[in-house]
Amino acid sequence: MAILVTGGLGYIGSHTVVELINNGFEVVIVDDLSNSERFILNNIEEITGKKPVFYPFDLRRKELLTQVFDAHRIDGCINFAASKAVGESQLKPVDYYENNLFSLINILQEFKKREISNLIFSSSCTVYGQADVMPIDENTPLKMPESVYGKTKQMGEEILIDFAKAYGRKVSLLRYFNPIGAHPSGKIGELPIGIPNNLVPYVMQTAAGIREKLSIWGDDYPTEDGTAVRDYIYVVDLAKAHVAALKKLMSDQSGETLIDTYNLGTGRGSSVLEVVKAFEKANAVEVPYQICERREGDITIAYADPAKAEKELGWKSETPLEESLRTTWEWQKYLNSRNS
Ligand code: NAD
Ligand code: WQD
């Protein structure tokens, strides 16, 4: 029995593979390396002592995916594979719809054919847009996201709900808030390909001198210090939530449709300035910054109510912000050592 992890060499996928192996699961990875690198596979082996089976191909290649399902007894799948750059998704909408939705549909076709259940989907807090009430629980009304990327997440959820209902299958929709940090070993983390869009990778590169200055997008938000607020969750905690969600799906033997939905965050909001200060303090480094205009499409505030995940999965994010940011810096040091 194996768990298929698509996008398993990516940022959240690689951390989840480590946790799955630590929990005794056999893992099969499919990743086309479009946003990851092969050395991550070796580092997963260094961390866990086990090398997962790895297939380097694009999930849109249906015939290759069929071969993977033929070769292994797949008992569930965590589907991380997707393109995730919000700005790019506006410029390349058709590519984003194709990659994010065709990959998912190809997996579902295999599940349908083979009577497999247990599918976990990487969704996002972006499906809530700017919610009216904080913290955001799972009953918060969804708003069709502005970005094409966000729409692929909302559509992906809808496709999975229809799939589960029609064929009596079990799915878990995990809505991540803002994942940050790296594995404590410093050997896997978020690979900075190009100029980072997200806050923490940009802060990391600014501290390392790769970027001159961080631009803080807006200090006129109606928040305590004027900068926008998000819920930054440590990636290893997030990875552990996947194992808990998978175990819950697998333990349900009712044979009935099961659609789980969980918000995965810490329950605590942090402003951009707080993150910058916490990074400086955790790592005794300076992060030069300038205040700029607001970034188009940004919301003011979002943080999770993680109570449902705690109650039903027995899972809770426990790592403090500074500790997560310390691992980010360890990861940057590791990348520096690889480049030198
Ligand atoms: P990532 O880019 O690091 O990982 C995705 C992996 O999927 C990469 O290794 C990439 O090479 C692979 N991939 C992409 N398209 C593929 C395809 N067609 N076939 C095979 N492999 C393919 O991203 P991540 O940050 O680890 O995100 C994982 C998932 O979580 C994504 O679905 C993303 O949308 C979702 N998510 C991420 C965040 C975040 O802030 N990082 C927040 C919410 C949701
Ligand atoms: C966080 C805060 C920025 C960079 C995006 C996606 C969302 C989700 C996570 C996947 C904001 C500010 C950032 C910088 C800054 N991904 N910032 N200077 O905006 O919450 O969400 O990533 O599903 O879909 O939209 O995350 O890390 O980009 O920004 O001031 O250089 O940091 O304005 O307030 P965000 P982020």
Side-chain angles (χ1 to χ4, degrees):
M1 294 282 202
I3 302 301
L4 173 65
V5 182
T6 73
L9 295 190
Y11 175 43
I12 308 167
S14 57
H15 289 84
T16 303
V17 167
V18 166
E19 295 307 319
L20 285 168
I21 294 173
N22 287 344
N23 277 270
F25 287 97
E26 197 187 311
V27 174
V28 174
I29 297 174
V30 174
D31 194 308
D32 66 358
L33 301 168
S34 55
N35 201 34
S36 50
E37 290 186 34
R38 212 175 257 269
F39 77 85
I40 296 292
L41 187 67
N42 298 330
N43 289 8
I44 289 173
E45 187 182 10
E46 278 183 31
I47 295 168
T48 63
K50 278 203 172 166
K51 194 173 205 149
V53 179
F54 170 51
Y55 294 98
F57 69 83
D58 186 328
L59 286 159
R60 286 172 290 181
R61 298 194 55 191
K62 216 172 167 171
E63 71 291 355
L64 294 182
L65 189 60
T66 300
Q67 285 173 21
V68 172
F69 278 85
D70 284 342
H72 301 272
R73 273 197 63 197
I74 303 290
D75 201 30
C77 170
I78 309 183
N79 182 32
F80 291 105
S83 307
K84 64 165 181 177
V86 173
E88 185 185 56
S89 76
Q90 300 303 94
L91 304 172
K92 299 180 175 174
V94 178
D95 298 334
Y96 267 67
Y97 286 123
E98 179 181 310
N99 197 38
N100 295 3
L101 298 179
F102 281 25
S103 299
L104 174 64
I105 288 168
N106 287 347
I107 296 165
L108 293 182
Q109 289 288 11
E110 295 300 327
F111 265 54
K112 188 185 84 174
K113 255 195 313 214
R114 298 163 198 265
E115 299 289 324
I116 307 172
S117 208
N118 307 321
L119 203 143
I120 296 185
F121 180 62
S122 297
S123 189
S124 165
C125 63
T126 193
V127 298
Y128 296 113
Q130 178 57 73
D132 298 330
V133 180
M134 290 300 132
I136 302 173
D137 69 19
E138 292 78 359
N139 295 320
T140 302
L142 304 187
K143 292 183 184 152
M144 182 50 91
E146 278 180 31
S147 75
V148 169
Y149 165 75
K151 286 177 192 162
T152 67
K153 291 292 154 190
Q154 196 151 322
M155 290 175 188
E157 287 198 4
E158 292 298 327
I159 291 169
L160 280 168
I161 291 167
D162 289 339
F163 164 80
K165 283 184 183 161
Y167 306 110
R169 307 297 168 93
K170 297 176 282 176
V171 301
S172 197
L173 313 174
L174 302 184
R175 296 175 180 154
Y176 315 152
F177 281 66
N178 294 57
I180 60 163
H183 193 264
S185 64
K187 289 193 166 153
I188 54 174
E190 185 164 15
L191 274 179
I193 298 178
I195 300 173
N197 299 305
N198 295 120
L199 177 63
V200 171
Y202 208 105
V203 165
M204 174 179 97
Q205 292 198 354
T206 307
I210 300 168
R211 313 277 157 211
E212 205 184 358
K213 248 184 211 167
L214 167 74
S215 297
I216 293 187
W217 308 123
D219 69 348
D220 57 351
Y221 283 102
T223 60
E224 226 162 86
D225 63 22
T227 64
V229 168
R230 300 287 187 273
D231 186 338
Y232 296 93
I233 175 170
Y234 182 44
V235 67
V236 175
D237 291 344
L238 183 62
K240 288 180 177 162
H242 290 74
V243 177
L246 181 66
K247 284 184 176 168
K248 177 170 181 293
L249 288 185
M250 292 176 94
S251 69
D252 182 299
Q253 298 294 333
S254 67
E256 283 168 21
T257 297
L258 175 63
I259 301 164
D260 281 340
T261 308
Y262 297 108
N263 286 351
L264 300 178
T266 66
R268 183 176 175 276
S270 305
S271 74
V272 178
L273 271 172
E274 265 180 78
V275 171
V276 172
K277 298 293 163 211
F279 190 95
E280 291 184 325
K281 187 159 172 241
N283 301 308
V285 289
E286 227 187 295
V287 180
Y289 67 83
Q290 59 189 354
I291 304 292
C292 300
E293 294 287 297
R294 290 181 182 194
R295 184 171 67 178
E296 207 190 313
D298 268 358
I299 56 168
T300 302
I301 180 164
Y303 57 91
D305 178 349
K308 185 174 176 221
E310 185 174 355
K311 184 163 170 259
E312 295 185 10
L313 300 178
W315 168 90
K316 177 159 121 188
S317 158
E318 275 164 345
T319 309
L321 180 63
E322 267 185 40
E323 177 57 20
S324 315
L325 294 170
R326 204 189 52 71
T327 62
T328 302
W329 192 231
E330 288 303 312
W331 169 239
Q332 179 61 49
K333 286 196 242 170
Y334 173 75
L335 290 175
N336 290 345
S337 73
R338 275 182 60 85
N339 292 333
S340 63

